[in-house]
Amino acid sequence: MKRRFFLGIMAVLTTFAIVCVSGCTSDGSASGASKEPPLISLTVKPDEELHEISDLLYGIFIEDINFAADGGLYGEMVANRSFEFTRLAKDDGFYGYSTVGKAKYSVISDGKGLNQNNPSYLNVINDSSSPAGVANRGFLDGMCVKEGEDYRFSVYARGKDGYTGPMHVAIKKGNKELASGDIKAISGEWQKYELVLHSASYADKGVTLELTIDKGSADFDMISLFPKDTYKGRENGMRRDLAEKLEELHPAFLRFPGGCVVEGINLQKAYDWKDSIGVDENRKPLLFNGTYGDVACRRMGQNIWTDETASQDPHPSFMSYGLGFYEYFQLAEDIGAIGVPVINCGICCMIQGNGSGVRAGNDKMQRYIDDALDLVEFCRGDKDTVWGAARIAMGHEAPFQLKYIGIGNEQWGDHFFKNYEAFVNAFAEARAERPELFEGVELMFSAGPDDGDSGSGTYKAAYAEAARWLSENEGQDISLYAGAIDHHYYNAPSWFLAHNDYYDEENYSRSTENMTDTLYGGGMQVFLGEYAAQSNTLEAALAEASYMTGLERNGDIIRMAAYAPLFGNTTATHWAPDLIWFNNHTVTPSVNYYVQKIFADNAGSRLLASEMSGAELTAKDISGAVGLGTWNTAASFDNIKVTDNLTGKVLAECDFSKDKDLDEWNRVSDGNWSIKDGQLLQSSSRTNTGSFGTTGTAAYFGDTDWTNYTYELDAVKTSGSEGFLIPFAVGDKDNHYFWNIGGWNNTVSCLQQVSAGGKSDQMAGTVKRCAIKRNTSYHLKVVVEGNRIKCYIDDQLYVDYKVHFGTTARMYQVVSSDESGDIIIKLVNVTGDNLQVNLDLGTSEVKDSATLHLVAGDSSRNDNILGKEEVVTLKTSVLTGIAQNFTYTAPKYSVSVIRVERK
């Protein structure tokens, strides 16, 4: 996963985001054909089936980011249950714990622990006459227990120095005991002890699990507490409320476990599926070689999303592997999906890491190939196979469904392609030798972190590599090379509106004969493994919905698609936006969630021909005001001038000769802005990224209607770690472009976009090496001409980019049918107006009522906030007055799905 965006249509975005038409939200209505034709007409051709739509089109992707697994979906309530945390955690191996009474403790790794996979354990000494021990506070915002609920406690323990006394267990809130139980005696050897604790009341703050002993000494490991009421009642199971939200999406597939966690910051910290299966206490947490005191050992390594630079991360993210490949496949089965695993390709993360790894032909590469081959055996093998027997021993005698395996995540380049081809060759041999296991299993390969919009970059290279393989293996089906190519992109809402035609045939060829001739490649099935419009507002959700009509329209080439990331929490968020927000006791689906749900609930199996007229918008030139800004940098600015490109007229200029000139600038930052000696100074070298992470330290100036202009200024960096941010096409602080000069620790120049309050990353085709010197004056120039942007430093061209306008509309649509023969009409109204649509169903053989599924709001800014009443949900009602011709009023800011039954 990588933040990856592209430019879109600012004029359209500004219309949707800023100019909101007031009025009440309609629930949608249908009526007979209007005497005066409405602005929009939709004609359906119910007997003209264009092609089948993938039966796996809408699914979900879970990565252990934002504590989605440990501390989230995985029901374990104890943080650091096996004492394997590292130096990145506060208190190291004692992270998450505190002492109770006069206990003394030490975390030991001396080869005498529970097993070699979990070498560290806790020793407690109580020299007092009162019970003493340790308490665990849980993950993130702590534990939550519910009145009347049961909780499964377990621990491995042994008495030390002859202690055979009791072990006291309690769930407490402060000094108040909510639940308790005793183990009457413990032995001198490692043994598992279990209790069921019944909570007498509810608490979600300040709750701890206490484990104490009488006077003496004891060792502990794998201290665990699960709600008994897990999803499907499974031990070692999932948090029920979170898992039920996944089931309610009716996903066709579940991609797991990543994402970047598959790759690791280095290969030592990459995900290993074989360590994630088996008896829970014998699983090997994600480990790396290290030391504990003077003892060399293997200790739990951090999830790639942990802050690598923090020595005392308050919420370090580590993977216990309690939620492992067995549980992922079981979860997929439980929610009615197929599992789509992703495994390491022998290369670590190329974005966050250095992309190092082993190479095809090297003996060390065989381990990664074997992992992929053995995974097939784990899923499909019987009791007479090594890995099939391992699955059966865990309790699942029937095979797991397995169709696709992703090889690598967001990798690209020659190193990756050669490694990937080694997997392809190995699977070809396996199909020939063991067809009963390997027939029908297809590999998928990465197109990298680009979205292909520039017609070059990592996408183009990936398709070229597939074309090379096809030419060298004449007569072979491309699916033997890859069942699908994995696309990932995270773009501004406007990008999704403008790219509804991304996978249409004129852009994405269905023939392998011209795989590299079209803009985005062609011929191969696509797995859109990760995408999002970078905001949890209704505006972004509708942009995604508009794009999903294009995915469904091209369901012959799009095999699977998944929003990402899936889970987010408010205590320690690595990435936002997210589909589902949670804390220790509450879960709230985002607006985007209901868009995903309405599409998945009403997935069609065949695309019907349809035509809409009257909905298209005329693309406008890029427009907006201008600005100044920095990121963790102090700077001075002077000689501001904005000139009309057509007339040469100076639209505005400012030389900061007067103090009141500052009043003309709208400051939306924490910067220290002042005028001195005819210059505008921003003297703070630190940016509050929590409050101004999308804008930086910025100020805006001018007219939002400006188009076709040249913006010039002089800038000097006085201190700090980066360079300048130069906003332009500014609608407001939540909607604009900016030129980042000296970004990423003073290494690059690039364009970025802020849309609906979400900020893009470096935009492909605009990135160039750049470092800004201190106390040096730079003349900066941004030229906006229609849809073209040029940026200059001291008259040297740094950016020359054309915005892809595409075809934008007030309303987007797709029409399909399912196995029952229903006509399924999906309409996405992205405007602030209620829009009337005249529908011609093309047949009179329909029932006079239809089912309406509706996601709608009253503002493009609607956002479902965790813990508050949801503003936007999915509602279902009945439409009457259905005939061959009828008029439907689509509410403003809405997704409507009308299911019409045929007689």
Side-chain angles (χ1 to χ4, degrees), residues 703-746:
D703 193 330
T704 56
D705 291 330
W706 282 343
T707 60
N708 292 297
Y709 59 80
T710 297
Y711 173 33
E712 297 178 84
L713 67 147
D714 295 325
V716 176
K717 170 183 173 178
T718 54
S719 66
S721 60
E722 300 207 353
F724 317 112
L725 303 181
I726 307 301
F728 61 96
V730 177
D732 59 21
K733 67 180 180 63
D734 292 329
N735 298 280
H736 59 273
Y737 303 143
F738 65 86
W739 180 18
N740 190 341
I741 310 170
W744 279 263
N745 291 316
N746 208 19

Side-chain angles (χ1 to χ4, degrees), residues 230-259:
T230 58
Y231 180 62
K232 302 291 185 182
R234 300 190 182 281
E235 293 190 35
N236 195 47
M238 306 299 112
R239 185 173 142 178
R240 183 168 60 85
D241 59 343
L242 298 187
E244 285 178 347
K245 291 302 179 188
L246 304 186
E247 182 180 16
E248 290 166 11
L249 280 170
H250 300 120
F253 67 88
L254 168 64
R255 175 182 180 238
F256 63 88

